[in-house]
Amino acid sequence: MVNPDWLRYFVTLAGTRNFHAAAERLHVTHQALSHAIGRLEAHFQVRLLDRGHRVRGLTPAGEAFLEEVRGIVSSLENLERRMAELRDGTPQGPVTMASVGFANHYLLPEALGRLHAEYPGIVPRIFSLPHGEIERWVDAGEIDLGVLLAPPTRGGLAFEEFGQTRYVIVGRPAEPRAWHAWSYVVPRPFMPHPEESLDGWPVDRFPRRVAAEADNLEVALKLCEAGVGVAFVPDRAVAERLATGALAVVAEAPFEYGERLYTVWRRDARLTPAVKVALGILAKRRDSGQNHMVPLVGPSAPGDNPTGSAGGECSR
């Protein structure tokens, strides 16, 4: 009879192609892993691995074997998790999540901290992907939950609002000045002729001086801390820096701008208890009123507007 652990060992070894790495990942000895693979080959009377002193690859029989046993190993893991949930009365297992970079860095960790505190048996798997890729992989069932800056365009996805964030002008602590008196760190992706910034600032209505450009929000904030200009950023991204005094709100923008975030999942998916709990934690964050208005440091700056345009809602 085939030991189910042998199948799991084989799948792990096939992924690493290295006995030492696979043994470490499985928390078994090299000898135990080699013995398990040998027992599989003896049971089925085929060679599964092309190996000498190291694994060079899978034999044709090994490739076919891997294709068949992947689903078996996954089903066994699901079975063990479901039985543990019923035995212990608490959700367990992985939850695969993907979000745009801002939410991944500055919003999800807080929510997942609460998830871990309440349900330590749940294992989040977090990835940062572009909007279109998140939709594609959620729709394909490879990602359980996604966080987007706009409702999904694919009809097979369900969604609900995850939260909101307001953009503020931050820089190294200083006396507030009018927004146009500052030079800005502007977020732009790498391309030969970048035209639009990624922070939603309507340059056609409110031109601004540029001190630096960066394609990463964290880099932009580090530049601001070093005194290289100011940045127009989501308030949630700078909450900790504002609390410690590393940065301050140094001007008022001449318009209101914010973003809504949405949690998405596949509409027809059979959500595991762990995924349902994760959705509930995100909903709690939405309902807890964590969006906040960040005040200027010191007295209000003069609100003169050199363009003569009235402020208003700005959207990308």
Side-chain angles (χ1 to χ4, degrees):
M1 181 175 291
V2 174
N3 187 326
D5 281 341
W6 300 348
L7 304 181
R8 184 163 55 90
Y9 291 1
F10 178 80
V11 170
T12 302
L13 180 59
T16 62
R17 305 296 171 98
N18 182 288
F19 271 94
H20 180 72
E24 280 194 342
R25 186 173 299 180
L26 292 164
H27 305 291
V28 300
T29 65
H30 184 291
Q31 292 78 10
L33 176 59
S34 181
H35 176 74
I37 300 304
R39 294 294 298 272
L40 282 175
E41 291 180 324
H43 179 85
F44 291 102
Q45 298 183 5
V46 294
R47 288 184 61 240
L48 300 174
L49 300 177
D50 178 12
R51 68 178 187 264
H53 294 294
R54 60 184 180 86
V55 178
R56 289 188 288 266
L58 302 181
T59 65
E63 294 285 359
F65 190 76
L66 177 62
E67 184 178 340
E68 295 295 334
V69 300
R70 269 190 177 133
I72 296 173
V73 170
S74 178
S75 294
L76 288 171
E77 290 175 348
N78 289 338
L79 175 62
E80 289 178 358
R81 183 177 68 248
R82 292 295 301 277
M83 294 301 102
E85 288 173 343
L86 292 170
R87 181 187 67 240
D88 302 333
T90 181
Q92 300 187 28
V95 175
T96 304
M97 305 177 69
S99 72
V100 290
F102 156 64
N104 224 37
H105 287 92
Y106 304 106
L107 295 182
L108 282 183
E110 181 183 344
L112 295 178
R114 291 200 305 278
L115 176 68
H116 179 73
E118 294 183 37
Y119 303 96
I122 294 178
V123 181
R125 296 172 175 167
I126 314 301
F127 301 94
S128 181
L129 294 172
H131 181 114
E133 289 295 289
I134 293 174
E135 283 202 37
R136 181 164 75 93
W137 290 112
V138 172
D139 197 29
E142 297 296 328
I143 291 174
D144 299 313
L145 300 173
V147 177
L148 305 174
L149 290 175
T153 59
R154 292 178 180 245
L157 300 181
F159 68 94
E160 64 181 19
E161 188 174 315
F162 166 54
Q164 301 179 34
T165 187
R166 172 178 174 259
Y167 275 53
V168 292
I169 299 173
V170 300
R172 195 156 62 176
E175 282 297 312
R177 294 151 60 187
W179 69 267
H180 52 82
W182 297 98
S183 295
Y184 289 75
V185 179
V186 178
R188 285 198 176 101
F190 174 76
M191 56 181 64
H193 303 288
E195 296 179 357
E196 294 186 3
S197 68
L198 298 178
D199 59 4
W201 187 283
V203 179
D204 56 333
R205 294 166 54 204
F206 304 103
R208 56 182 172 171
R209 297 199 307 270
V210 176
E213 296 181 357
D215 68 348
N216 181 284
L217 178 57
E218 190 61 26
V219 172
L221 296 177
K222 288 289 187 182
L223 289 172
C224 291
E225 288 178 334
V228 184
V230 301
F232 188 56
V233 297
D235 55 3
R236 293 301 301 168
V238 290
E240 185 174 336
R241 285 176 163 95
L242 294 177
T244 60
L247 292 174
V249 178
V250 296
E252 289 183 349
F255 56 88
E256 287 289 333
Y257 179 73
E259 290 175 322
R260 298 177 184 272
L261 295 102
Y262 299 86
T263 306
V264 300
W265 62 95
R266 199 170 69 180
R267 193 181 301 277
D268 62 353
R270 181 169 173 264
L271 302 181
T272 67
V275 174
K276 290 179 181 178
V277 164
L279 265 175
I281 291 289
L282 297 182
K284 284 181 184 178
R285 188 197 181 283
R286 176 197 65 207
D287 297 334
S288 63
Q290 296 200 30
N291 306 303
H292 56 280
M293 303 292 282
V294 182
L296 279 167
V297 172
S300 298
D304 54 317
N305 183 350
T307 67
S309 302
E313 185 70 20
C314 169
S315 61
R316 279 189 269 180

